Amino acid sequence: MKPDSKQSILFFLFILACTLWVGTVFILSDFVDNPNSGVVGFIIVALHWGLICLATYFLIYLFAINKYVFAVFFPIFSLFGSVLAFYRYAYKATLTPMLVDATLNNDLRTSLDVISPTLVIFVLVCFAVSIIIVRIRFKKISIKHNFLHLTISLLLLYLVLTVNTRATTSIMQRFPFSVYYNLSEYNKLKSNISAIRTNPDSTLACNNKDTLTVVFVIGEALRADHMSLNGYKRNTNPRLSVRKNIVSFPFIFSEYTNTNRSLPHILTRADSVNTERAFNETSFVPLFKACGYNSTWISNQDPAVTYVGFMNECDTIIYCHPEKSVYNYNNWLDEDLLPLTNNVLEKKSPRNLIVLHTIGSHWYYNNHFSKPFETFKPVTSSRVIAQCTPEEIINSYDNTVVYTDCFLDMLIQQLEEKNAVLIYLSDHGETLGENGTWLHAGTSVASQNPGCVIWYSERFKAKFPDKITALNKNKNRHIRTDFLFHSILNAGNIPTKVIDNRLNIFHDNS
């Protein structure tokens, strides 16, 4: 065998060894808690891990062509990988745009609080290994035809990142590509925050100083026909069904079946005729602020560029779990929003607008209810839909509805003694096997019929009896999610000219 051929083989074996090291120590951290069932489930997860490793192989190939470039790249690469892997193994934390924001904006003392001796040792060991690997590249590996290798590596990397949209999304959410992806998403979010939008009533000025708390809970993937409040055969609303002052709206229609598109439509004056308002107008938040409301957005989801601007219209934004993403397969619960909400309420501002963005009934369902709420069994044991029976999926989904029922009940307990109203509206519904399809983002009757529940306190009822009368008259109307903007403004007693009473569920249109 020619010396050049031996060196080429040695070079590719070197890249393979680097990839196996990275794949085992860094990338594997994203897969150790993936729920799967049996041999088939293990193989699916292993293939998924292998896909990320394949893309990483081509990335390392690209940077290893030049030994000086590799000497800079690989130690930095290992530092990032070791830190991210440590927090993924130890705290189930994933890199997200919110985590980037928290890291960049925390003071030094807060940042130092999350550094432990174990982390330092792990990072130092990984860094030492990276230096050894760099020395091997200098002393043992010699290649020619660098331009050819550069062309091949770029082509292979391009192909693996573009051949399939679903695969690309998955690759970009895992290390090492997640570093670029999340920094890029963070920059997009920051850019979108500064986007100029028109206030639909910039002349609004209020003198009403009455104490009032308005809470808007954004649900996630909860379909109306799986709520026993609406006649579902299972008792998925054991708490709300025995509560006073609960009004459920079973016939809401959502034009959009994914969060990124549905929320801008819900939060603004956008409707089926004026869809552009979702992109060029502000939400209802500035109108509340003009009337003296302290506004807070508490999120249990990662933000998206389509609605992060609305979040930043609020006086305060609180991320409940900035370390979570949809690729986390461990407990991610809405009850964690409750103490944060209570903190806001204890500040005793006379007027409060609180928006809670819940994780609700998002897939993987088992992550979003705790063990005591495993009411319907058996539940799923794999994140792979094909490995689950329809019964298991529906059981797990219905358990999230029972959990949401409890969450809303506990939230209401915090509001009972106040002049308060709570509006719960899911961003969309969920498809559970109808026409052979599952989850959301597709078009189906179930995914376009989100759950909606209104609760009001006795003090609110006494102060606004006409609103309550209208609310009960309207509960069986077939209406679109367009109602939210107009109704929440009326619930907050905001005297603005932009309320369309035809879409206002607190107004009697009879």
Side-chain angles (χ1 to χ4, degrees):
M1 187 179 293
K2 294 181 179 179
D4 284 355
S5 299
K6 287 183 178 178
Q7 280 297 316
S8 293
I9 293 171
L10 189 61
F11 176 56
F12 287 116
L13 288 175
F14 169 77
I15 298 169
L16 178 61
C18 292
T19 304
L20 290 174
W21 159 254
V22 171
T24 303
V25 179
F26 305 151
I27 298 173
L28 191 62
S29 64
D30 275 332
F31 293 89
V32 291
D33 59 358
N34 275 26
N36 62 85
S37 179
V39 175
V40 174
F42 176 80
I43 291 172
I44 291 171
V45 173
L47 288 173
H48 196 175
W49 172 81
L51 174 65
I52 312 302
C53 288
L54 179 65
T56 303
Y57 181 94
F58 296 144
L59 181 68
I60 295 173
Y61 176 20
L62 172 65
F63 284 98
I65 295 168
N66 184 290
K67 61 185 180 182
Y68 297 104
V69 172
F70 186 74
V72 174
F73 161 77
F74 201 73
I76 295 173
F77 178 92
S78 297
L79 282 174
F80 274 107
S82 58
V83 171
L84 295 176
F86 177 84
Y87 284 109
R88 189 70 171 88
Y89 283 123
Y91 302 109
K92 310 298 182 185
T94 303
L95 184 64
T96 66
M98 299 93 72
L99 203 58
V100 173
D101 184 67
T103 302
L104 294 177
N105 290 293
N106 277 343
D107 57 64
L108 181 59
R109 182 174 180 177
T110 302
S111 299
L112 290 175
D113 285 343
V114 299
I115 298 175
S116 66
T118 309
L119 168 64
V120 173
I121 292 170
F122 183 70
V123 170
L124 288 177
V125 169
C126 291
F127 185 74
V129 171
S130 73
I131 297 300
I132 293 170
I133 289 172
V134 168
R135 284 177 60 84
I136 292 172
R137 171 66 185 90
F138 268 79
K139 292 182 174 295
K140 304 292 184 181
I141 309 296
S142 176
I143 60 168
K144 297 180 179 180
H145 312 297
N146 285 8
F147 182 76
L148 177 61
H149 282 295
L150 181 64
T151 303
I152 293 171
S153 62
L154 285 171
L155 178 61
L156 291 173
L157 190 59
Y158 174 79
L159 288 174
V160 78
L161 291 177
T162 59
V163 69
N164 180 278
T165 303
R166 187 174 177 182
T168 299
T169 301
S170 181
I171 291 170
M172 296 305 293
Q173 291 277 9
R174 274 25 184 251
F175 183 81
F177 303 94
S178 61
V179 176
Y180 166 78
Y181 174 81
N182 284 288
L183 288 173
S184 176
E185 286 298 300
Y186 170 74
N187 285 328
K188 288 179 186 176
L189 292 174
K190 296 294 283 186
S191 174
N192 198 267
I193 289 169
S194 59
I196 298 174
R197 290 174 177 267
T198 303
N199 188 323
D201 188 359
S202 58
T203 63
L204 178 64
C206 303
N207 295 315
N208 190 342
K209 299 297 183 182
D210 289 346
T211 298
L212 182 56
T213 296
V214 179
V215 178
F216 175 40
V217 181
I218 304 169
E220 171 62 58
L222 194 151
R223 53 189 277 180
D225 66 348
H226 273 241
M227 300 173 67
S228 55
L229 283 172
N230 299 330
Y232 185 48
K233 61 185 178 181
R234 287 175 157 176
N235 187 13
T236 52
N237 299 120
R239 299 197 181 200
L240 295 184
S241 62
V242 296
R243 260 204 176 273
K244 292 173 58 180
N245 303 345
I246 290 286
V247 183
S248 183
F249 283 71
F251 305 117
I252 305 293
F253 177 81
S254 174
E255 184 76 31
Y256 306 101
T257 60
N258 65 85
T259 304
N260 290 1
R261 190 62 187 87
S262 66
L263 271 194
H265 191 88
I266 288 171
L267 296 168
T268 63
R269 275 200 312 160
D271 54 37
S272 57
V273 176
N274 303 286
T275 57
E276 75 284 351
R277 289 173 176 170
F279 306 102
N280 58 32
E281 286 192 358
T282 61
S283 74
F284 52 79
V285 172
L287 303 182
F288 273 87
K289 290 170 68 175
C291 289
Y293 278 82
N294 176 57
S295 55
T296 306
W297 187 299
I298 310 176
S299 183
N300 204 18
Q301 287 208 38
D302 48 336
V305 293
T306 57
Y307 59 83
V308 70
F310 305 123
M311 296 172 65
N312 278 271
E313 290 170 358
C314 291
D315 297 306
T316 306
I317 302 174
I318 303 170
Y319 290 114
C320 184
H321 284 297
E323 81 288 359
K324 299 283 190 182
S325 80
V326 293
Y327 291 97
N328 283 78
Y329 296 101
N330 46 74
N331 274 3
W332 185 353
L333 302 174
D334 284 326
E335 65 191 68
D336 297 336
L337 293 166
L338 295 172
L340 300 173
T341 305
N342 192 55
N343 290 342
V344 174
L345 295 173
E346 285 184 343
K347 292 178 180 177
K348 301 189 184 304
S349 298
R351 313 193 102 194
N352 272 307
L353 170 68
I354 303 174
V355 181
L356 302 176
H357 192 182
T358 65
I359 193 63
S361 300
H362 201 290
W363 180 261
Y364 181 62
Y365 305 136
N366 290 1
N367 290 352
H368 307 310
F369 61 86
S370 51
K371 197 68 176 177
F373 294 90
E374 198 172 295
T375 306
F376 307 109
K377 301 177 182 181
V379 297
T380 58
S381 58
S382 174
R383 68 177 180 83
V384 181
I385 292 283
Q387 283 202 291
C388 308
T389 66
E391 179 191 14
E392 290 171 343
I393 297 173
I394 292 171
N395 285 344
S396 288
Y397 179 82
D398 283 349
N399 289 335
T400 68
V401 183
V402 176
Y403 181 84
T404 296
D405 176 80
C406 178
F407 163 73
L408 290 175
D409 182 69
M410 294 172 72
L411 180 58
I412 289 169
Q413 290 176 35
Q414 296 182 346
L415 302 169
E416 282 179 308
E417 303 304 317
K418 300 180 180 295
N419 179 21
V421 59
L422 180 151
I423 302 174
Y424 171 90
L425 174 64
S426 186
D427 53 2
H428 49 75
E430 188 86 332
T431 305
L432 295 172
E434 290 86 358
N435 299 317
T437 59
W438 300 89
L439 310 185
H440 53 264
T443 302
S444 72
V445 172
S447 62
Q448 292 183 298
N449 181 208
C452 177
V453 176
I454 315 295
W455 169 85
Y456 50 89
S457 69
E458 286 296 319
R459 288 176 60 186
F460 186 88
K461 179 181 178 181
K463 191 168 184 62
F464 304 111
D466 292 346
K467 295 184 194 295
I468 303 308
T469 300
L471 187 68
N472 282 283
K473 280 188 177 181
N474 286 321
K475 66 182 180 181
N476 289 316
R477 282 180 61 191
H478 290 249
I479 51 177
R480 304 167 72 94
T481 55
D482 309 355
F483 83 89
L484 189 281
F485 177 89
H486 308 275
S487 301
I488 196 170
L489 287 170
N490 185 265
N493 217 31
I494 309 295
T496 173
K497 62 187 179 182
V498 299
I499 293 177
D500 183 345
N501 279 324
R502 294 171 301 175
L503 300 173
N504 176 12
I505 62 175
F506 292 95
H507 178 78
D508 188 351
N509 290 292
S510 60

